[in-house]
Amino acid sequence: MDGNKDYNLSSLRSVNSHCSASEIDDYDFSKLLDKPRPLNIERKRSFDERSLSELSIGLSRGLDLETCSPGARSAFDTPASSARNSFEPHPMVSEAWDALRRSLVFFRGQPVGTIAAYDHQSEEVLNYDQVFVRDFVPSALAFLMNGEPEIVKNFLLKTLHLQGWEKRIDRFKLGEGAMPASFKVLHDPIRKTDTLIADFGESAIGRVAPVDSGFWWIILLRAYTKSTGDMSLAETDECQKGMRLILALCLSEGFDTFPTLLCADGCSMIDRRMDGVWDPYAAVGWYIPFKEYSLNVYLLQPLCKGIYGYPIEIQALFFMALRCALTLLKHDAEGKEMVERIVKRLHALSFHMRSYFWLDFQQLNDIYRYKTEEYSHTAVNKFNVIPDSIPEWVFDFMPTRGGYFIGNVSPARMDFRWFVLGNCVAILSSLATLEQSMAIMDLIEERWEELNTRWSYHNGGSWPVLLWMLTAACIKTGRPQIARRAIDLTESRMAKDGWPEYYDGKLGRYVGKQARKMQTWSIAGYLVAKMMLEDPSHLGMVSLEEDKQMKPVLKRSSSWTC
């Protein structure tokens, strides 16, 4: 990186980051089986007016119409270009851009990503000097929003190249479609060569391969296409094959009777098992030791530490990646076959998630009254959940107005924890119906003090990176005031604390004990949230409108009957 400090990203080809492919999102899935998808790329419209106009309910709740102007430019560009703006940006913005650019990684003179953290105070670098696929997503969005797409294109191509490597861990060969968790660039100053080294899980915590890297790659490819209005990258044979390999790995048939995707602990953004049983506000991201709990509660919640099974985060990302792939796959012989598989899975997955993962006051009361050991198709308690295993905190936490997708559902187990990433992605992908999306935001508003918008994640920490997803969900649902409140909290702490990876404590008052400073995804997440709130047209990069033909969630009175 040192040899490239004079690299100026502003010298990249000027691209209007607001140009978009405006007609590629709103699908009737069933129609895709009968006729080819027309590629209608519009480069003159700054965003999908039709999509945003359908959010009229959001505008009525306080979203500034002037802010939504199609011609609005970001007021949070780099300092060199901020002079054209009509008001002074927050001082943290300039600092954040400087920090983000210092994190750039170069391969043969070209920027290919950002390192996880630029922490000079830490004695151990560990793997924070690598480019992580999921970590780079907010960085990529920041560059796209600032009209700098080349680094994103380079990243997509380099990770696609790494996907093609033979992947072996302890003599076992991974699936062909697996994407790396991260990669590193080794510079040889003597030979003047650069070498890529990929990690597919052999160096990760728990030695597990990432399930979500492939999903994030597809989502980012769609964001790049939406931002630039350029389908040429996605239509290359390499990208088409890469998408098919990822999807084939996830859509493979097996013994599972559910359309959800099985995921082991450590295979996602929650990269390790929690170290304690969660307290009465477990849903908001902290824990207390086992010894503080009675034996009875401990026995009733032996599985609450991990996410093994069907975690909400992976299912929401899976759903979003499938929908993004529909907009990008060609309708040639191979692509059409994959589209057919995607369409069938989407219908089953949306029904399953909206029916069995959704929890509100009425559903909680229904589960509380469940009978167990039921057989045949007439069973109401389909997963044989023991009502006595419901943690006490849920009854106090659940407001009469509001709801959310719970953390996990699998046989004899329901994980009632609140995970903001999965719920926000459910909103952005339209896995959540309009009513469910509004209910999720109602819950956040109703339980603000408990949630404290602390971007609950794992290990008792509060993770600022999730700010950008929360902001995007707020804009889509017409609740920008929630995002503004969260950003205000961020601006009161983050820069002074050195842009930490996470915070500790129930109120997020302390910089995490093992948190890295100058954490890139914390920096980029803040920038994306700021730019998106100032110019909501950026929402189109990460938001998909609901398919009008998809069957709505069934109305239930006292059971989960199909």
Side-chain angles (χ1 to χ4, degrees), residues 331-351:
H331 276 245
D332 52 18
E334 292 176 305
K336 187 175 181 180
E337 179 185 358
M338 185 59 67
V339 165
E340 292 175 351
R341 296 174 65 182
I342 291 173
V343 169
K344 293 176 182 178
R345 191 63 166 263
L346 279 171
H347 277 290
L349 183 60
S350 61
F351 173 83

Side-chain angles (χ1 to χ4, degrees), residues 272-297:
R272 70 203 74 176
R273 290 174 66 85
M274 288 66 146
D275 296 325
V277 173
W278 294 53
D279 70 358
Y281 292 104
V284 298
W286 62 82
Y287 67 93
I288 58 177
F290 288 141
K291 64 183 180 180
E292 300 295 333
Y293 257 66
S294 68
L295 179 62
N296 185 44
V297 176

Side-chain angles (χ1 to χ4, degrees), residues 223-242:
Y224 171 87
T225 303
K226 188 78 172 177
S227 173
T228 62
D230 178 16
M231 283 288 292
S232 62
L233 176 62
E235 289 185 334
T236 61
D237 292 340
E238 294 80 8
C239 283
Q240 291 289 311
K241 180 182 178 181

Side-chain angles (χ1 to χ4, degrees), residues 256 258 260-262 307-312 315 357 407-411:
D256 211 331
F258 311 132
T260 41
L261 192 65
L262 186 64
I307 60 164
Y308 182 89
Y310 308 90
I312 178 60
Q315 311 317 316
F357 273 68
N408 211 324
V409 176
S410 55

